[in-house]
């Protein structure tokens, strides 16, 4: 989604937290070939509307999963754990949280994915 690609995902609760069917992607029961085909056909038939869906998908990710928000969530979690732990455990948790937060948004990979999506290439 961050790459601006169309998304057809499995219809699960976590996916529905991010994807609004028809607005920024599509969801289908991936075990149901008919439902999957119907969603794919709907996406293909959308024509010019596909660009709006791609842009909405990218906006969704940029708004909800920004690096500063991810860092704030990790910091809050680390602080909660740190106040309930020994000093050594708190320090280790802070270091691990900082490492994970710094690597949580692979910008270069996202940009490569966006380039592949826009060029029609599917392989890295």
């Amino acid at each position: 989604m961050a790459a601006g690609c169309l998304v057809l995902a499995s219809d699960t609760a976590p996916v529905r937290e991010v994807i609004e069917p028809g607005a920024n992607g599509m969801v289908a029961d991936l075990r149901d070939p008919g439902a999957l085909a119907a969603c794919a056909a709907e996406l293909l038939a959308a024509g010019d509307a596909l660009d709006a869906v791609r842009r909405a998908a990218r906006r969704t990710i940029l708004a909800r999963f920004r690096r500063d928000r991810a860092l704030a969530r990790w910091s809050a979690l680390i602080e909660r754990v740190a106040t309930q732990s020994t000093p050594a455990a708190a320090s280790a948790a802070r270091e691990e949280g900082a490492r994970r937060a710094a690597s949580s948004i692979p910008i270069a990979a996202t940009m490569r994915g966006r380039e592949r999506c826009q060029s029609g290439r599917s392989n890295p």
Side-chain angles (χ1 to χ4, degrees), residues 37-120:
C39 283
E42 187 176 333
L43 284 171
L44 292 173
D48 292 337
L50 292 180
D51 286 334
V53 173
R54 284 186 187 107
R55 286 191 303 273
R58 182 161 169 74
R59 279 193 309 272
T60 298
I61 296 303
L62 293 177
R64 293 187 62 191
F65 300 100
R66 292 188 349 222
R67 175 175 237 127
D68 60 331
R69 289 184 182 176
L71 290 172
R73 286 191 305 266
W74 275 107
S75 293
L77 174 63
I78 291 166
E79 287 303 316
R80 278 197 314 270
V81 170
T83 60
Q84 300 169 3
S85 302
T86 65
S91 177
R94 281 190 192 96
E95 289 174 16
E96 177 66 12
R99 185 188 64 74
R100 287 185 181 194
S103 65
S104 66
I105 304 175
I107 301 298
T110 298
M111 295 309 294
R112 285 192 303 274
R114 184 175 187 178
E115 290 165 2
R116 283 196 304 273
C117 178
Q118 291 174 343
S119 69

